[in-house]
Structure formats: structure tokens, C-alpha cells
Amino acid sequence: MNKFSKLLFSSLITASLAVASPLQVMSQAAPEEVKQHPAFPRDVIIIDAGHGGVDGGTSFQNILEKDITLAISQKVFMLLRSKGYHAILNRTGDYALSDDNHWLKSRSRHQKDLAQRKELSQQIPTLVVVSLHVNWSRNTANRGGLVLFQKEGRSVMLALAIQEQLDQLYGLKGSIKHGRPFYLLNQVADPAVIVETGFLSNAQDRAMLTDRRGQLKIAKAIVNGINYYLTAI
């Protein structure tokens, strides 16, 4: 059983769902889209913890984006579960999702990683996809959260809801942005957003991003936004 299958199996147990057998990734060709699966009687919220393994993401000294995204993603997962939502994480540890991609014939590790992230939303019935990342700027004064959306109405609504909560947390007035060049937003059919949880290049943001209580505050803001969106649609 590869990490992708173990992840789904673990998530199913956590969500207290009846499982016939763990999902298996096809090894020769990209799997066809699946919108019904006996293991998932309800649509789920997919939390995409950005980067992982060899891909550390952005960094500051010994602080890596991949560790921050995983920590916040785990908190988002637990908060969503506490509210009664069915949610899963696409990675639960420090590993690259590209390692589990045996179906895409590409020499690019990055492309295989992105394709594997998209694959999860095709294998199970998906409500929304929320991908968590950490921002960086040469201008160290830039700070706060930023939500990127698809060119799709529901994605815009979800982005606005999360952005408002992050703005309240950071005490700023930000604006959502169309994530035109981002693979995940272009390839995922379900409503999806990328949440830049703060700027690692800014001292104030960095203090919150690396502090457990700060990470929990960020996770609560994201969950409040998701909850507002789902109760409004």
C-alpha cells in the first residue's frame, strides 16, 4: 500500500466512515474522474498541505514552508471535524506526493506532485479544495493573508469568505486574486482556492506562522471562512 492509499485509509478511519477497501492509484494511465465512492457517503473538504519532502517551499533561515503548511493544515482538519464536516488531508507527514504518482509519465517531479494533488479530488466526491501555502516577498513590509481563486463563481465566494476572516486576524484589508497561472486552480473541477497564510519574509507574520497559537488562529480564520461559505451557498 503506497502513501496515497495509506492516507485515504487513515482519513477514513478518522472520519469514522465505513470502508470496503482503500483507494488504489492506477499505475499506467491517469484515472478517470470518479464522483461516487462507497467509502465516502458525503462530499468531503480536501485540505491540501502545500509542498513536502524534498520540496521545502519558501524558507527563512531554517524555517521551511512545508512544515508550516502541514501544521496549519492539521489544525484546519481537526477544527472542521469538530464542526461535523467530513474532511481529509492529502498528506499527514513530511513526504512528497510525487513519490506516490506512478501513473503520470513525466520526468518532472514537480508536475507529478501537482498531478497527484489534483488526483485526490477526482477519486472522491469533493465539496471544496483548500490548498495552504506561505507567501514571500522581497519587500519585507508586505504582510497578511492572500487567497487565490479559480475563474469560477463558487471559488470566488469561498475566497472572499476566507479573505475576510484573514483580514480580521491580521488587521488588514486585503484583496483576493485570480490564480491564473496555478496548476491546481486550473485543473481541479470542484471549487478550489489557494490560501497564502502569511508572509514568511515579514517578521510579524513569521512570528504568527511559527507559533502554535498563531497557527491555530490562522486555522480558525480559514475554517470560519469555509464554514461561512458552506452555510451561505
Side-chain angles (χ1 to χ4, degrees), residues 45-56:
I45 299 169
I46 296 178
I47 306 154
D48 172 50
H51 306 283
V54 67
D55 180 8

Side-chain angles (χ1 to χ4, degrees), residues 173-205:
K173 181 60 179 176
S175 298
I176 62 174
K177 182 179 179 181
H178 181 203
R180 188 187 306 275
F182 292 95
Y183 177 94
L184 196 68
L185 297 182
N186 290 323
Q187 296 297 320
V188 171
D190 305 287
V193 295
I194 293 175
V195 181
E196 299 283 0
T197 54
F199 283 84
L200 195 57
S201 49
N202 177 271
Q204 288 178 270
D205 282 13

Side-chain angles (χ1 to χ4, degrees), residues 63-229:
I63 303 170
L64 300 178
E65 178 181 1
K66 66 176 182 178
D67 298 325
I68 296 173
T69 58
L70 180 59
I72 296 176
S73 293
Q74 289 171 330
K75 293 172 175 60
V76 169
F77 171 79
M78 295 304 298
L79 289 169
L80 286 170
R81 291 295 302 152
S82 71
K83 288 182 177 292
Y85 288 113
H86 290 259
I88 63 171
L89 280 166
N90 65 351
R91 69 177 178 95
T92 56
D94 181 21
Y95 50 84
L97 295 183
S98 57
D99 294 342
D100 294 326
N101 190 329
H102 305 291
W103 54 268
L104 182 64
K105 295 181 180 180
S106 173
R107 294 183 179 180
S108 170
R109 183 208 60 78
H110 183 60
Q111 191 68 22
K112 293 178 73 172
D113 180 272
L114 292 173
Q116 191 73 358
R117 293 174 190 275
K118 177 202 68 173
E119 168 64 10
L120 187 56
S121 69
Q122 292 188 321
Q123 284 290 319
I124 61 177
T126 302
L127 199 57
V128 295
V129 178
V130 179
S131 180
L132 302 188
H133 289 264
V134 177
N135 220 336
W136 176 271
S137 174
R138 291 182 179 180
N139 183 354
T140 57
N142 288 340
R143 60 184 302 263
L146 171 66
V147 187
L148 307 172
F149 60 89
Q150 299 164 306
K151 192 176 181 181
E152 199 268 352
R154 293 169 299 171
S155 174
V156 173
M157 290 175 61
L158 176 59
L160 285 169
I162 296 175
Q163 184 71 56
E164 182 178 358
Q165 294 297 318
L166 288 173
D167 286 350
Q168 291 181 24
L169 174 63
Y170 281 103
L172 300 169
K173 181 60 179 176
S175 298
I176 62 174
K177 182 179 179 181
H178 181 203
R180 188 187 306 275
F182 292 95
Y183 177 94
L184 196 68
L185 297 182
N186 290 323
Q187 296 297 320
V188 171
D190 305 287
V193 295
I194 293 175
V195 181
E196 299 283 0
T197 54
F199 283 84
L200 195 57
S201 49
N202 177 271
Q204 288 178 270
D205 282 13
R206 188 165 59 249
M208 182 178 293
L209 289 166
T210 56
D211 177 72
R212 289 185 179 181
R213 286 175 292 185
Q215 292 169 351
L216 182 58
K217 289 178 181 179
I218 294 171
K220 285 181 178 179
I222 295 169
V223 170
N224 286 342
I226 295 172
N227 184 61
Y228 182 85
Y229 163 80

